[in-house]
Amino acid sequence: MAMTRARGLRCGAAAALVLVAGCSVDGLLLGELTRDEHRQMPEPAPVTLRGKAPGFQGAPLRLWAGSSVAFSGKVDATGAFALQTDGRSALVGTVLEAQSGARACLALVPELPAQTSVLHPERVIELAEIAPGALEVGDVSTTAALVLLQRARIEGRALAAVAPSSLVETLIDVDSRLRSGDPALALALLAVQRVLAAGKSAAAAGAPFDVSPAALHLLRDGFAATSAVDADGDGAADGDGGRFEALMTAAASGVKFAACYTPGRIKVVLQVRLASDARDGNCEPIQPFLWADDKPGAQMFITGGVHKETPTCVAGRTAFCLHPAQIDDVNAALGNWVPNKVQMFDDGSHGDGVASDGIYTFAFDAPHWPAVAAPDGAGVRIAYKFTYGAQGQGWTGAEEFPGNQRILELDDRNNDQLIVRLDHFADETSNKDKANGLFTGCGKVTWAAAPAEGCSSDSAERAVDVDGDCKVDGWPSAGKVAPLTVPCP
Ligand SMILES: [Ca+2]
Ligand SMILES: [Ca+2]
Ligand SMILES: [Ca+2]
Ligand SMILES: [Ca+2]
């Protein structure tokens, strides 16, 4: 009876907001509600992460998401903990830290799920069940966490940008190799144990580890200097975190993020940088507001769809082609050429790597095959354009340039199972299709499989210059977007 009553109330509340998937209780998924920004949604019950951190009785606990603390709690007097999250956030690639003075232990948490419904009761999840090797937060889990963190740093990725299933597989691999005495991992474990021992020194100051992606060293220089730690065991105090870092890098170089990828589909990450100091492909300053208005409160949007030169499936071509339903899906994801409808994000959400860095992100899933595998070398091709304006506004005063579109072939050039394309807003020298301003080009842009003499084929993902010195810096970071994976067989 009570349940029926609760359902009735729930339904009424939802109907009073905006219609979401009808008024069925089962349709009241948090994802739906949060996506549509229903502010008055009821709070879900918390999700609680439970585990053991022996030796850290009474110590504070922090759950790090990148460089910020997502949730915090405390280890109890018996060395156990129950860290409560709000049940609203699905946390991927976080690092749990128990810290007592200058001692700290870590555990990598591949994925801490959100509640799937506001009706679910509090959910308790055991750390050991979701983080292989983390039976307790101790030296072994610390070593595994640091090695995976270092692996991600080597690859220029955030832990959150590695698929949770890959983190799980890799933790299993690292844990089994730690137990079987893999030499590089054994040295890493020994280094962690020396850091833990050095943390007991009265002179040691501060938390030993820095798990933020931008950390200079995983072992803080300040800790190394005050604790006189000898992580590499050469008999001399290290002085800074460099020796520890080298050991973690050596261990991480033998580790790979194991993953099996979703066949036939790929995650596409479109990014645009809006900045006054950006330079175009001619090394000339870009004027971001040549066509768009620089209005207060304007937001970044993307729109586009499947390019008409994408092979479609017909009687004579049944592979390396798109079916009408697939074309409709991609068109819908990209906003089907309606301007100022599909918002991009620069607040660290929706896969955006860094909040407020002027790089806006939009990520979606698309059908995919390697272009080189197709008989005519054609992959899935899309066209798109950025607009900077108000939700629902038309093209005028919002689009980066009129009469043109940007073109992109979904071809994974750096083999990271992602298509990542970083453009500068209003850059008329990049993949702008018709009136292209690149001095070394021919005024238009071609597909890679159909090059034309003197023309640019800047129509795929590519390495970029992000700091405006006109020298390419490398592949753009995918931010927090992970490849599409399936559990490995
Ligand atoms: Ca040393
Ligand atoms: Ca950003
Ligand atoms: Ca790629
Ligand atoms: Ca550069």
Side-chain angles (χ1 to χ4, degrees), residues 229-238 243:
V229 66
D230 175 20
D232 60 351
D234 67 350
D238 297 349
R243 296 296 182 97

Side-chain angles (χ1 to χ4, degrees), residues 28-354:
L28 279 175
L29 298 180
L30 280 181
E32 290 292 332
L33 288 163
T34 48
R35 188 155 54 240
D36 290 346
E37 296 189 314
H38 296 268
R39 298 289 176 207
Q40 302 164 48
M41 61 181 270
E43 295 297 325
V47 170
T48 296
L49 180 64
R50 204 159 65 177
K52 295 189 189 81
F56 288 90
Q57 285 86 345
L61 267 180
R62 294 180 199 89
L63 189 63
W64 291 92
S67 53
S68 55
V69 176
F71 295 96
S72 53
K74 212 173 167 187
V75 183
D76 72 16
T78 70
F81 61 83
L83 179 73
Q84 219 172 56
T85 76
D86 59 9
R88 185 191 281 263
S89 326
L91 298 159
V92 172
T94 53
V95 176
L96 185 67
E97 179 190 39
Q99 186 206 341
S100 174
R103 285 188 318 118
C105 277
L106 312 171
L108 174 59
V109 184
E111 185 175 27
L112 197 54
Q115 291 279 24
T116 51
S117 164
V118 292
L119 298 179
H120 285 181
E122 179 179 356
R123 192 166 164 196
V124 177
I125 292 172
E126 298 288 340
L127 176 66
E129 285 173 14
I130 57 168
L135 284 173
E136 58 182 44
V137 181
D139 53 358
V140 171
S141 69
T142 303
T143 306
L146 289 169
V147 168
L148 266 67
L149 189 58
Q150 191 69 341
R151 181 70 230 171
R153 281 158 55 102
I154 290 169
E155 295 182 11
R157 302 160 80 180
L159 276 177
V162 182
S165 64
S166 302
L167 294 174
V168 169
E169 300 273 346
T170 312
L171 278 176
I172 291 170
D173 174 50
V174 166
D175 188 59
S176 84
R177 288 202 279 148
L178 267 170
R179 288 172 203 287
S180 64
D182 173 285
L185 285 169
L187 288 175
L189 177 59
L190 203 51
V192 166
Q193 290 164 342
R194 287 172 175 147
V195 166
L196 285 170
K200 290 179 180 163
S201 142
F209 305 117
D210 186 347
V211 300
S212 72
L216 176 65
H217 289 139
L218 291 169
L219 185 68
R220 290 177 199 273
D221 290 341
F223 172 88
T226 54
S227 68
V229 66
D230 175 20
D232 60 351
D234 67 350
D238 297 349
D240 63 25
R243 296 296 182 97
F244 185 87
E245 189 79 6
L247 290 165
M248 293 302 139
T249 300
S253 65
V255 168
K256 262 202 178 127
F257 288 124
C260 297
Y261 299 100
T262 307
R265 288 185 75 74
I266 200 162
K267 186 71 88 173
V268 183
V269 188
L270 300 178
Q271 304 167 332
V272 64
R273 181 167 181 256
L274 177 63
S276 53
D277 64 346
R279 288 180 179 265
D280 66 16
N282 300 328
C283 202
E284 299 200 328
I286 295 171
Q287 296 175 42
F289 300 113
L290 188 61
W291 300 99
D293 298 332
D294 184 12
K295 280 197 185 143
Q299 295 174 309
M300 188 66 77
F301 297 87
I302 187 169
T303 191
V306 171
H307 194 283
K308 63 182 192 316
E309 288 165 15
T310 296
T312 48
C313 299
V314 289
R317 180 164 185 158
T318 54
F320 308 107
C321 56
L322 290 185
H323 293 279
Q326 293 177 299
I327 294 174
D328 289 348
D329 285 349
V330 173
N331 286 344
L334 279 167
N336 210 0
W337 291 110
V338 177
N340 300 304
K341 180 181 166 197
V342 178
Q343 198 186 334
M344 301 181 75
F345 293 89
D346 183 24
D347 61 357
S349 75
H350 297 73
D352 184 51
V354 179

Side-chain angles (χ1 to χ4, degrees), residues 4-31:
T4 311
R5 187 175 154 78
R7 282 178 176 226
L9 287 171
R10 285 254 30 66
C11 239
L17 302 171
V18 174
L19 281 178
V20 179
C23 194
S24 95
V25 170
D26 293 340
L28 279 175
L29 298 180
L30 280 181

